Amino acid sequence: MDRWQAMRVFVKVAEAESFADAGRQLHMSPPAVTRMVSALEDIIGTRLLTRTTRSVKLTEAGAQYFADCQRLLADLSEAEATAAGAYGRPTGTLTVTTSAMFGTMFVMPLMTEYLDLYPDVVGRGLFVDRVVGMVDEGIDVAIRIGHLPDSGLTATRVGQVRRVICGSPAYFEKHGVPMTPGDLSGHRIVASTSAWTSLEWRFGVRKKSTVHVNPRLFCSTNEAAISAAASGWGLTRVLSYQIAPQLETGELRTILAEYEEEALPIHIVHPEGRYASAKVRSFIDFSVEKLRSNRHFN
């Protein structure tokens, strides 16, 4: 029996929780799949899967063997790719994810410039306001804003952004400038209902405080909230990069800077570690240099 092939079949059955589904994915008959897994169990000397009429589940020993097989098969794939020269030249599809506005404003220009440099790479941008499961959704690289939880991902810090409160000069001329967070209660607030938005606005680094705001206007996107603030209607709170163009033109300005929270880090993360392919390594090297040199993040 080809032990490597048997391990591949076992892993596919465990993932699909079905001999029939695994067979379809591997273009093998269900009996052939069953025989190969049974032969593997005989060689190892322990039951790897619990079979019922409705499902296939890993045993305790099977769960450990499944994790080991995944690691060994990944190492084998990397070794074969290296021997074949796949790490010398970036090729294939590169999938990058980040939040919607950050992707549109900063990552898309990076990707198009990168693709011009490497014509054998096809780009795919997944720009959504949620944390994407990199392995589950086939993501090569993610650019994430905020403090990272402990994980097996490799992370490189490239900068930071702040949560800022902003308004237009016309608004401040008409309604005055809040001097403390408590003054916000007397002002029109525009709130975005996007992923991270809360009506509890936190302030301070060492001496922390929280102000509950009562928005007069709710918007489903940060872009809409920014537009309302730029029109002079009210004040809104966003990440500093999101209003970079308006700050440069003077259309908006920030307030209460001395009360801001600690800045949020920006990281480029990927799941492949030292085994990263040429497309991943080259895109990360390219992006780190570009993002670290961007004055909006440093």
Side-chain angles (χ1 to χ4, degrees):
M1 181 181 65
D2 182 339
R3 183 74 67 88
W4 289 109
Q5 178 61 12
M7 290 167 65
R8 290 188 180 97
V9 171
F10 163 70
V11 166
K12 189 61 68 176
V13 172
E15 291 174 342
E17 297 186 347
S18 166
F19 287 94
D21 289 346
R24 280 191 289 272
Q25 294 178 46
L26 295 167
H27 305 291
M28 297 172 61
S29 68
V33 171
T34 302
R35 285 194 300 270
M36 187 163 285
V37 173
S38 296
L40 186 61
E41 290 176 322
D42 290 341
I43 290 174
I44 295 171
T46 189
R47 180 72 67 183
L48 299 173
L49 297 166
T50 299
R51 302 138 168 96
T52 68
T53 55
R54 295 185 177 182
S55 66
V56 177
K57 300 293 184 183
L58 288 165
T59 63
E60 184 177 351
Q64 180 60 56
Y65 188 67
F66 172 70
D68 291 339
C69 285
Q70 286 186 308
R71 175 177 52 80
L72 290 169
L73 290 170
D75 287 345
L76 177 63
S77 177
E78 300 292 348
E80 290 173 342
T82 299
Y87 286 81
R89 178 171 55 90
T91 61
T93 299
L94 175 74
T95 304
V96 180
T97 188
T98 192
S99 57
M101 277 190 75
F102 193 87
T104 300
M105 294 175 67
F106 300 104
V107 179
M108 185 53 68
L110 285 179
M111 291 187 70
T112 53
E113 188 176 351
Y114 172 83
L115 294 175
D116 284 340
L117 294 174
Y118 299 100
D120 293 327
V121 178
V122 174
R124 174 174 171 257
L126 180 60
F127 303 149
V128 291
D129 291 326
R130 63 180 173 85
V131 177
V132 175
M134 297 190 69
V135 175
D136 293 341
E137 300 194 39
I139 304 299
D140 295 303
V141 178
I143 301 176
R144 291 183 171 164
I145 299 173
H147 299 286
L148 298 177
D150 292 335
S151 70
L153 301 176
T154 300
T156 302
R157 182 163 174 156
V158 294
Q160 63 184 27
V161 292
R162 299 143 41 223
R163 286 197 177 105
V164 298
I165 299 173
C166 65
S168 73
Y171 177 89
F172 294 129
E173 184 177 350
K174 183 176 181 180
H175 300 281
V177 179
M179 302 308 294
T180 69
D183 294 341
L184 293 170
S185 61
H187 288 265
R188 290 179 174 179
I189 302 297
V190 183
S192 165
T193 56
S194 61
W196 64 268
T197 302
S198 168
L199 298 185
E200 300 294 330
W201 286 10
R202 297 188 299 271
F203 295 90
V205 176
R206 292 185 179 86
K207 186 178 179 181
K208 299 186 178 184
S209 64
T210 301
V211 171
H212 180 85
V213 295
N214 295 294
R216 286 285 313 283
L217 176 62
F218 290 90
C219 304
S220 61
T221 66
N222 287 316
E223 291 94 333
I226 292 167
S227 176
S231 74
W233 193 87
L235 307 177
T236 194
R237 195 183 202 195
V238 293
L239 295 179
S240 54
Y241 81 83
Q242 295 172 332
I243 56 170
Q246 292 87 349
L247 292 178
E248 289 185 342
T249 62
E251 192 176 6
L252 289 172
R253 67 183 180 94
T254 61
I255 59 171
L256 302 177
E258 64 272 30
Y259 295 96
E260 288 176 7
E261 291 182 284
E262 181 182 1
L264 299 171
I266 306 172
H267 289 93
I268 298 179
V269 300
H270 66 101
E272 298 181 53
R274 63 188 179 91
Y275 293 118
S277 61
K279 66 184 180 184
V280 170
R281 288 187 291 108
S282 58
F283 180 76
I284 290 174
D285 290 344
F286 176 81
S287 300
V288 165
E289 180 182 356
K290 295 286 186 179
L291 292 174
R292 283 180 175 170
S293 66
N294 192 313
R295 67 183 182 281
H296 298 305
F297 314 135
N298 294 280

